[in-house]
Amino acid sequence: MKRSNWNHNLIISLLTLSSFILGFTNAQSKLCRTSCGDIPIKYPFGIDDGCGSPYYRHLFICSSDSGQNQKQQQLELRTPSGRYPIKNITYSDPHILVSDPFMWNCQDGINFRPARPFSLDASTHFKLSAQNDYLFFNCSPDEVIMEPKPMFCERFPEQCDSTCDSSSYLCRHMPECASALRGSSCCSYYPKSTESLRLMLRHCASYASVYWRNLGVTPPFDQVPEYGVRVDFEIPVTTRCLQCEDPVKGGGICGFDSQTQNFLCLCPKGNVTTFCHDPNISQHTRSTVVAGTATAVSVVGAFGIGAGVWYVRKVMTKAPVTHGVVSNENRLF
């Protein structure tokens, strides 16, 4: 390849790259959806990469395109066992309510479908809430201990945790459909892990998760059972995030660099590592640091398009001719 052609191709490539970077900067500075359907999306969560906390990256999916009716959008939680519709997110008492279409429901009656055990990634900051109860149906009496728990625990205290309570309140008062089981056996057991849930399902026809929803009145034990899974989450609070969100300091949105996962404060005019109204940061700096890109600045980003082309020409006039083979002597990056 002739050196003149090589110079020309590199200049064109860098101009194209610079246009992409500048266009991506403008788009990213305004990117962070705050809702999906009627469910608000706040820190530490984010639908778009670079928004929220990296602890919950790629775990939420808004299932419809932004052009569709917002009310028709469905927020879903991605876990190792599948994607699950989210019914609600509560930030004051941090938890998510998830519906699981694979579990037994009232419409199934005694037609038990094979169930897929719900699981969470242990590396995330999610955990199954202790407010969940698990009901198992038509379990094998040869493989599963099904006994009224109070009586069984009195007789065998060392095996108390291994029994599936056949006299549980929920088995006797099935939420929404008291007579749906029509004589099928039911017992309540809280799995200690996903593996124990799998073991139970090997010997039971199906299962359902029931969480206790607080009615929001006093006393706090006024709760009603509903089908679904309650997943508790942590809100990582940092000084940088509090400063970023402070309205006096600019009211930014806490986010992160999608390549390094380092903290970024997402501001209307660009993204910074401190807060939007930081007087120590120039306007130019704010516009070049963006969520979803590397924090390192390219040659074009550092010098501008014109200066970048000048830099390429200056370097290429001194570069040795290597017949199209990139060597350490003429490598630009």
Side-chain angles (χ1 to χ4, degrees), residues 39-85:
I39 300 178
I41 306 299
K42 303 177 183 179
Y43 184 84
F45 300 137
I47 302 172
D48 307 292
D49 197 16
C51 303
S53 168
Y55 291 148
Y56 301 102
R57 186 182 187 186
H58 301 320
L59 296 181
F60 289 87
I61 304 163
C62 194
S63 60
S64 67
D65 295 332
S66 58
Q68 295 182 2
N69 187 333
Q70 187 178 11
K71 292 296 182 181
Q72 297 177 350
Q73 295 177 340
Q74 176 63 63
L75 185 64
E76 295 177 305
L77 174 67
R78 179 191 284 123
T79 82
S81 55
R83 288 167 52 168
Y84 301 90

Side-chain angles (χ1 to χ4, degrees), residues 242-252 265 267 274-278:
L242 293 175
Q243 288 182 335
C244 171
E245 293 183 334
D246 187 347
V248 177
K249 295 181 180 294
C265 183
C267 307
T274 53
F275 49 89
C276 299
H277 288 173
D278 188 347

Side-chain angles (χ1 to χ4, degrees), residues 31-276:
L31 178 66
C32 270
R33 282 172 283 179
T34 57
S35 66
C36 179
D38 57 358
I39 300 178
I41 306 299
K42 303 177 183 179
Y43 184 84
F45 300 137
I47 302 172
D48 307 292
D49 197 16
C51 303
S53 168
Y55 291 148
Y56 301 102
R57 186 182 187 186
H58 301 320
L59 296 181
F60 289 87
I61 304 163
C62 194
S63 60
S64 67
D65 295 332
S66 58
Q68 295 182 2
N69 187 333
Q70 187 178 11
K71 292 296 182 181
Q72 297 177 350
Q73 295 177 340
Q74 176 63 63
L75 185 64
E76 295 177 305
L77 174 67
R78 179 191 284 123
T79 82
S81 55
R83 288 167 52 168
Y84 301 90
I86 294 176
K87 301 167 68 175
N88 187 31
I89 300 178
T90 301
Y91 295 91
S92 56
D93 174 21
H95 69 271
I96 300 171
L97 298 179
V98 177
S99 61
D100 184 352
F102 304 106
M103 291 181 180
W104 178 89
N105 59 57
C106 288
Q107 288 70 37
D108 290 338
I110 58 174
N111 300 314
F112 299 108
R113 298 170 292 124
R116 178 190 301 177
F118 179 86
S119 65
L120 293 172
D121 186 347
S123 66
T124 65
H125 288 235
F126 285 133
K127 65 177 181 180
L128 290 174
S129 173
Q131 296 187 34
N132 295 323
D133 280 315
Y134 295 85
L135 304 180
F136 293 86
F137 310 113
N138 279 10
C139 299
S140 169
D142 297 329
E143 303 293 342
V144 178
I145 301 174
M146 292 181 291
E147 296 279 350
K149 192 160 189 173
M151 298 174 56
F152 181 84
C153 292
E154 286 181 6
R155 289 183 291 140
F156 307 101
E158 70 282 356
Q159 299 183 47
C160 183
D161 288 341
S162 62
T163 184
C164 192
D165 186 6
S166 59
S167 65
S168 72
Y169 171 85
L170 291 175
C171 280
R172 290 181 287 111
H173 304 85
M174 291 292 296
E176 302 175 14
C177 48
S179 60
L181 295 179
R182 288 183 292 177
S184 299
S185 66
C186 170
C187 61
S188 176
Y189 175 75
Y190 188 87
K192 301 300 181 183
S193 65
T194 302
E195 186 58 32
S196 64
L197 177 55
R198 291 194 186 99
L199 289 173
M200 287 291 291
L201 286 177
R202 289 180 186 175
H203 308 296
C204 302
S206 188
Y207 85 117
S209 174
V210 178
Y211 67 90
W212 290 88
R213 180 172 64 88
N214 196 322
L215 295 177
V217 296
T218 55
F221 50 78
D222 283 349
Q223 298 175 320
V224 294
E226 293 185 4
Y227 293 104
V229 185
R230 171 171 166 149
V231 178
D232 294 338
F233 64 89
E234 301 174 12
I235 300 180
V237 179
T238 64
T239 301
R240 288 187 299 178
C241 183
L242 293 175
Q243 288 182 335
C244 171
E245 293 183 334
D246 187 347
V248 177
K249 295 181 180 294
I253 299 173
C254 297
F256 60 94
D257 186 292
S258 62
Q259 293 190 19
T260 66
Q261 299 195 27
N262 291 333
F263 173 81
L264 283 179
C265 183
L266 313 183
C267 307
K269 296 182 179 180
N271 307 319
V272 298
T273 56
T274 53
F275 49 89
C276 299

